[in-house]
């Protein structure tokens, strides 16, 4: 496969290259693409040095697959141009996720929706992917009625500039700010931009995307997304009310059987998921499983994953692998 990584100099792009190498992705030619600012920059991949090129040069090279993580406006403008030359784009931005003509894919859940005709495929939001992977087997069994979500999100979810802000603040160095406020020793209830309804765009992604991925809009969702000074991954407290009652041992078994999920829940030994353990791992970790005693059929759970791996790069590359394995590219 001739593969283009668009946004190769960024936070997700960098992890994308690590994951491609680790998984031995079948690359015959690799194109590393970023903005005009980075043109000519040198990046190492699998012991070889590559020169960063611009978007038009990449389109002209007609890649088979392009893995995009370069922001929404770049995707909106350029993904169709890649698709026009026959390339299949898997896009990490929010540009195409809710477009009814585009698929929103978590391969373990709805990879089977993909066809040869899908030329632009959307990767869900990082907080959505980890949550929906844990909820899918429970929804299939007990049918979700309502979700109440609170997130504790890593600065790596905002990109290179935010990680630098936290580093600088820890060291007491002045520098460019990615957030309106200091993030060190703080919690900022503001991820992405505010919308007219008073929610942030990130919160509304958590409301809308699970319904599209699970092909079911019968359940209701409300969310609060908070940025905290961690770097290894996103954490989520999820309160889920089902239509039907559940057995906690069976919940544990359903989660254990779900590909990509690790149940990490042993209170006697203080075992529960944390970003420090999820960092650099592809799995989604679930723990603190307990019945909500305030209302029937309701479960509390704590879900943690590395937002740059399963939340972004790994899921994108799993989609590309699915396309190759099923002869769809
Ligand atoms: N971080 C996460 O956990 C996460 C998770 C899921 C999805 N995403 C999405 O992935 C995308 C990238 O996120 P990130 O965290 O990697 O951000 P980042 O660290 O700021 O990197 C942005 C990348 O996009 C490139 N870029 C920016 N403007 C461009 C343009 N006009 N033309 C071509 N390339 C351009 C940058 O190139 P230069 O270096 O040349 O500026 C850089 O490679 C965003 O859409 C984000 O929403 C991020």
């Amino acid at each position: 496969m001739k593969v283009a990584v668009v946004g190769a100099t960024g936070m997700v792009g960098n992890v994308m290259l690590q994951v491609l190498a680790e998984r031995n992705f079948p690359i015959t030619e690799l194109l590393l693409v970023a903005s005009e600012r980075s043109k000519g920059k040198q990046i190492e991949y699998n012991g070889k040095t590559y020169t960063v090129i611009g978007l038009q040069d990449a389109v002209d090279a007609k890649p088979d697959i392009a893995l995009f993580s370069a922001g929404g406006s770049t995707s909106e403008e350029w993904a169709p141009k890649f698709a026009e030359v026959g390339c299949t784009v898997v896009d990490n931005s929010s540009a195409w996720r809710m477009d009814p003509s585009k698929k929103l894919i978590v391969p373990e859940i709805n990879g089977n929706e993909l066809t040869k005709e899908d030329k632009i495929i959307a990767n869900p939001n990082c907080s959505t992917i980890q949550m929906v992977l844990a909820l899918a087997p429970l929804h299939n069994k007990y049918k979700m009625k309502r979700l109440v979500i609170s997130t504790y999100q890593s600065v790596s979810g905002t990109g290179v500039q935010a990680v630098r802000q936290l580093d600088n603040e820890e060291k007491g160095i002045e520098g460019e700010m990615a957030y309106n406020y200091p993030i060190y020793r703080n919690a900022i209830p503001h991820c992405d931009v505010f919308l007219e309804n008073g929610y942030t765009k990130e919160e509304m992604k958590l409301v809308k995307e699970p319904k599209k991925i699970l092909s079911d809009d019968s359940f209701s969702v409300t969310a609060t997304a908070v940025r905290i000074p961690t770097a290894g991954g996103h954490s989520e407290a999820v309160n889920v009310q089902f239509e039907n009652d559940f057995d906690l041992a069976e919940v544990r078994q359903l989660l254990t059987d779900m590909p990509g999920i690790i149940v990490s829940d042993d209170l006697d030994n203080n075992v529960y998921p944390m970003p420090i353990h999820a960092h650099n791992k592809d799995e989604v970790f679930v723990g603190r499983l307990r019945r909500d005693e305030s209302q029937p059929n309701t479960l509390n759970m704590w879900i943690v994953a590395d937002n740059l791996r399963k939340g972004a790069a790994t899921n994108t590359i799993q989609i590309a692998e699915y396309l190759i394995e099923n002869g769809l590219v």
Side-chain angles (χ1 to χ4, degrees):
M1 289 283 136
K2 191 190 275 193
V3 178
V5 176
V6 180
T9 51
M11 209 84 223
V12 176
N14 185 275
V15 177
M16 201 98 83
L17 293 176
Q18 277 173 41
V19 177
L20 285 169
E22 281 170 23
R23 296 172 82 96
N24 229 340
F25 194 86
I27 297 174
T28 47
E29 197 180 326
L30 181 63
L31 306 165
L32 300 187
V33 190
S35 77
E36 292 298 311
R37 296 179 288 274
S38 304
K39 247 176 143 174
K41 231 182 191 175
Q42 308 272 297
I43 295 182
E44 288 262 325
Y45 173 78
N46 250 352
K48 211 175 137 192
T49 305
Y50 291 81
T51 302
V52 173
I53 61 171
L55 283 152
Q56 189 57 53
D57 289 340
V59 172
D60 294 342
K62 296 189 177 161
D64 299 300
I65 296 183
L67 309 174
F68 265 63
S69 63
S73 53
T74 306
S75 291
E76 264 167 43
E77 184 183 348
W78 287 90
K81 295 183 183 173
F82 279 72
E84 259 167 44
V85 296
C87 173
T88 304
V89 173
V90 188
D91 181 42
N92 258 288
S93 80
S94 57
W96 308 101
R97 290 180 191 150
M98 295 315 295
D99 181 328
S101 69
K102 307 286 182 291
K103 310 266 171 73
L104 184 64
I105 300 292
V106 177
E108 297 90 335
I109 300 172
N110 62 343
N112 58 2
E113 287 178 18
L114 291 169
T115 69
K116 251 190 175 150
E117 281 63 53
D118 295 311
K119 287 293 173 200
I120 300 176
I121 300 160
N123 195 65
N125 179 44
C126 41
S127 332
T128 305
I129 295 177
Q130 66 184 70
M131 182 181 74
V132 87
L133 195 69
L135 291 177
L138 307 182
H139 179 55
N140 284 343
K141 182 79 188 179
Y142 311 113
K143 197 160 175 25
M144 294 191 304
K145 190 170 173 189
R146 181 167 187 251
L147 291 171
V148 182
I149 307 157
S150 306
T151 71
Y152 306 70
Q153 301 191 200
S154 152
V155 292
S156 63
T158 315
V160 171
Q161 212 198 345
V163 175
R164 208 174 298 135
Q165 179 183 332
L166 176 59
D167 280 349
N168 285 342
E169 287 171 357
E170 271 174 349
K171 292 178 191 143
I173 299 169
E174 285 221 4
E176 244 183 280
M177 303 273 282
Y179 303 114
N180 297 326
Y181 297 97
I183 185 65
Y184 180 56
R185 295 187 171 175
N186 201 6
I188 307 177
H190 179 179
C191 300
D192 210 331
V193 294
F194 282 110
L195 303 174
E196 263 180 27
N197 64 359
Y199 286 78
T200 60
K201 198 171 167 193
E202 183 82 0
E203 288 160 352
M204 292 314 291
K205 290 172 197 169
L206 283 159
V207 171
K208 292 177 184 166
E209 292 180 16
K211 299 178 188 199
K212 180 163 177 178
I213 298 163
L214 296 168
S215 302
D216 186 346
D217 57 10
S218 66
F219 55 89
S220 49
V221 187
T222 188
T224 304
V226 180
R227 192 73 61 189
I228 59 163
T230 49
H234 291 348
S235 307
E236 301 173 331
V238 179
N239 177 274
V240 49
Q241 183 179 19
F242 297 105
E243 298 279 356
N244 304 304
D245 200 10
F246 58 85
D247 171 68
L248 214 43
E250 190 182 49
V251 163
R252 218 174 277 276
Q253 194 56 51
L254 288 167
L255 289 167
T256 304
D257 293 344
M258 181 70 187
I261 294 281
I262 292 185
V263 175
S264 174
D265 196 26
D266 174 6
L267 302 189
D268 291 341
N269 293 301
N270 297 326
V271 172
Y272 31 74
M274 290 186 288
I276 210 167
H277 295 146
H279 184 47
N280 262 331
K281 308 242 171 64
D282 286 323
E283 292 86 1
V284 172
F285 298 83
V286 183
R288 300 294 323 278
L289 292 165
R290 63 212 191 275
R291 202 172 263 284
D292 175 348
E293 294 176 341
S294 71
Q295 65 176 6
N297 306 352
T298 308
L299 177 74
N300 275 313
M301 57 206 296
W302 177 247
I303 305 169
V304 180
D306 187 331
N307 49 296
L308 294 172
R309 305 274 304 200
K310 184 58 182 169
T314 303
N315 198 67
T316 302
I317 291 163
Q318 285 173 325
I319 294 172
E321 287 172 344
Y322 185 96
L323 295 170
I324 295 172
E325 281 159 19
N326 291 280
L328 305 177
V329 278

